[in-house]
Amino acid sequence: MRALPAVLSPLLLLAATAAAPVPRPSVEVWLTLPDKSTLLARQPSLPLQRGTTGTIAVDPGKRYQKMVGFGAAITDASAYLIQRRMTPQQRTALLRELFGTQGFAFTRLTVGASDFSRSHYSYDDMPKGATDPALAHFSIAPARADVLPTVRAARAINPSLAVMLSPWSAPGWMKSTDSLVKGTLRTEAYAPFARYLGKTVQAFAAQIGPIDYLSIQNEPDFEPENYPGMRLSAAQRARIIGDHVGPEFARAGIRTRILDWDHNWDKPEHPLGVLADPAANRYVAGVAWHCYGGDVAAQSKVRDAFPAKDVFFTECSGGEWSGPWADSWSWTLRTLVMGAPRNWARGVLLWNLALDEAHGPHLGGCSDCRGVVTIDSRTGAVTRNPEYYALGQASRFVRPGAWRIASTSTPGGIETVAYANPDGTRVLIAFNAAAETQPVDVTAEGSHFAYRLAPHGAVTFRWRRPR
């Protein structure tokens, strides 16, 4: 028998190539059902076929906002549990899951204490009656214990992790109450407070890398009774930002972007008032929102008035009040994970990344809040809560830098939101709001696919445009 030639001729090579099977384009499917029988589980892929039949249209040619990502706050409580109540192996596994597999790309840190701290403190505490306008006693030592190591580890897993800072209170000596609890910022403390925020951003950045966003006050229209807080009117915030924080950051070369409001949907007049001030408007990059009052559509109302400003959703907590698993999961998915981006949010953050079995540790404030995960303070075991699965329908698939793109919904049936990732993949998240199984017939860029979604179920589709 003659030996085969060592090198195939061009014609034989062409024939061999032509005979090789061409992979058919397909659509990945990831499903969660309200009875928990299926939780963010991969399903058989669907064929992506040529044609434009379909009741749900996805149009990558129509872009809205570029996404920063999804995630949750690394509070003092969350970091304490991760660092002090887990073994090194448990800690590594959880952080890799959250910031790797789960895809969290956005987090929020507190400047000083919140109610989810084991003590109340700022970074420049003084005895009653004493002041420190030169900030000679400034120190971020409390954050170095647990929070900053946790963020460093998260950024090592996901280098694109975006970080936001929010103070719950200025140091007590800057305030009308001379206390971290209640009160407002004294006018003569506006400049020291701006320097305090600037020093915090610089000190954190030296430890963990760039600080992307800062709100000057968490929930400025609320004075908590038993944990740090500070009331600041829209007029006060406009002066603080326009005359002090903005210029202070500019002088110091701080590129951290300033967000206003960081409070509920029910009072859009607050951020509208700040953005209407020319001095403040110059320095405000966007508006941050919370979920505890009003409707998510407020985000679009303010964005329509100031389309050059970014929108972020920065806090909502699940808890024992929020009803059965299915109700908590579906509300979080529909209102925050889908609804906030459909109303221009570039990022979506829930509150505590982790709490323990007793809803803490905390000092004052919410006694029945729930973390995205629960860490057993005795064993380090992890329970994944409804919010984990709601976030995961987006965070695992929507990459930083993705564009939200146009997608239609079917009235009373399938609700959707869609994205185009930087790598060319398309993502569609769909929720069935009906009480019966609904068809999800999708057309995009000359192709289509079909699926049937169970009542109140959610599905994420991911595919690449056929060539």
Side-chain angles (χ1 to χ4, degrees):
M1 178 181 290
R2 293 180 59 189
L4 292 173
V7 179
L8 291 174
S9 72
L11 287 176
L12 287 173
L13 182 61
L14 181 62
T17 303
V22 177
R24 294 184 61 187
S26 62
V27 181
E28 295 177 9
V29 181
W30 300 78
L31 178 67
T32 298
L33 296 176
D35 63 2
K36 299 191 283 185
S37 61
T38 304
L39 295 171
L40 262 178
R42 180 80 180 263
Q43 305 298 297
S45 294
L46 304 173
L48 184 61
Q49 300 174 323
R50 292 291 184 184
T52 56
T53 60
T55 55
I56 294 170
V58 176
D59 183 5
K62 189 170 185 179
R63 294 179 171 183
Y64 298 95
Q65 74 273 25
K66 184 181 283 189
M67 299 301 293
V68 170
F70 299 80
I74 300 175
T75 57
D76 285 352
S78 300
Y80 169 79
L81 292 168
I82 291 168
Q83 295 294 328
R84 309 295 181 95
R85 289 293 180 262
M86 305 187 88
T87 66
Q89 294 77 14
Q90 289 173 321
R91 181 186 314 125
T92 297
L94 179 62
L95 291 176
R96 284 178 176 168
E97 177 181 341
L98 294 175
F99 296 96
T101 305
Q102 183 74 346
F104 288 173
F106 191 21
T107 193
R108 181 171 178 237
L109 315 179
T110 68
V111 176
S114 72
D115 46 331
F116 286 93
S117 301
R118 292 181 302 138
S119 64
H120 292 163
Y121 63 89
S122 77
Y123 299 143
D124 196 343
D125 291 326
M126 298 295 291
K128 286 282 187 180
T131 63
D132 183 23
L135 303 180
H137 298 280
F138 176 87
S139 171
I140 63 163
R144 289 196 182 100
D146 298 316
V147 171
L148 297 180
T150 304
V151 181
R152 270 196 301 273
R155 266 190 163 159
I157 296 163
N158 183 357
S160 67
L161 180 67
V163 175
M164 174 186 177
L165 302 185
S166 299
W168 262 237
S169 174
W173 56 268
M174 296 186 186
K175 297 172 61 185
S176 59
T177 54
D178 195 12
S179 169
L180 295 174
V181 180
K182 303 192 78 169
T184 190
L185 192 66
R186 294 185 291 110
T187 304
E188 60 269 30
Y190 285 9
F193 183 54
R195 292 195 298 273
Y196 174 82
L197 295 178
K199 286 174 72 71
T200 299
V201 168
Q202 290 172 320
F204 272 49
Q207 295 285 316
I208 61 173
I211 304 303
D212 301 279
Y213 303 97
L214 168 89
S215 68
I216 67 162
Q217 175 59 38
N218 173 71
E219 300 191 343
D221 197 46
F222 178 49
E223 291 177 74
E225 294 285 342
N226 56 9
Y227 66 92
M230 183 168 71
R231 188 179 295 274
L232 293 176
S233 69
Q236 285 176 297
R237 300 197 311 279
R239 292 281 64 76
I240 293 166
I241 294 169
D243 296 347
H244 298 281
V245 178
E248 175 70 22
F249 280 24
R251 281 193 297 271
I254 296 172
R255 301 180 66 180
T256 300
R257 285 153 284 186
I258 298 170
L259 304 179
D260 183 50
W261 192 219
D262 214 3
H263 207 168
N264 293 334
W265 295 317
D266 58 352
K267 295 188 177 179
E269 65 273 14
H270 269 260
L272 286 170
V274 171
L275 292 173
D277 182 274
N281 184 289
R282 176 184 176 190
Y283 296 109
V284 173
V287 177
W289 298 93
H290 295 185
C291 74
Y292 308 114
D295 186 89
V296 67
Q299 296 178 181
S300 287
K301 176 180 179 179
V302 174
R303 200 267 176 190
D304 288 347
F306 294 94
K309 302 302 181 182
D310 286 337
V311 179
F312 286 90
F313 182 82
T314 53
E315 186 185 315
C316 195
S317 181
E320 295 307 309
W321 67 86
S322 56
W325 193 99
D327 294 345
S328 298
W329 167 77
S330 62
W331 186 90
T332 302
L333 178 75
R334 297 172 72 186
T335 309
L336 306 182
V337 176
M338 299 176 69
R342 285 200 72 101
N343 286 275
W344 294 99
R346 296 188 61 206
V348 174
L349 286 170
L350 297 190
W351 187 207
N352 292 277
L353 182 68
L355 292 177
D356 67 17
E357 71 282 359
H359 311 290
H362 71 95
L363 184 58
C366 183
S367 61
D368 57 355
C369 281
R370 180 171 58 222
V372 173
V373 299
T374 298
I375 296 174
D376 191 306
S377 62
R378 299 152 298 190
T379 67
V382 175
T383 301
R384 293 151 189 84
N385 293 322
E387 295 75 20
Y388 172 95
Y389 293 102
L391 281 170
Q393 293 288 157
S395 63
R396 292 191 182 189
F397 311 100
V398 180
R399 305 275 36 94
W403 286 95
R404 181 173 72 87
I405 57 177
S407 65
T408 58
S409 300
T410 58
I414 302 299
E415 302 169 1
T416 73
V417 63
Y419 301 91
N421 277 323
D423 67 359
T425 55
R426 312 320 193 190
V427 174
L428 177 72
I429 304 167
F431 178 84
N432 182 5
E436 58 279 331
T437 297
Q438 293 286 306
V440 186
D441 296 326
V442 180
T443 180
E445 302 172 286
S447 299
H448 71 97
F449 61 90
Y451 188 75
R452 292 185 63 78
L453 184 56
H456 310 303
V459 64
T460 301
F461 303 106
R462 179 170 60 185
W463 71 96
R464 191 175 296 275
R465 179 184 180 181
R467 296 179 181 178

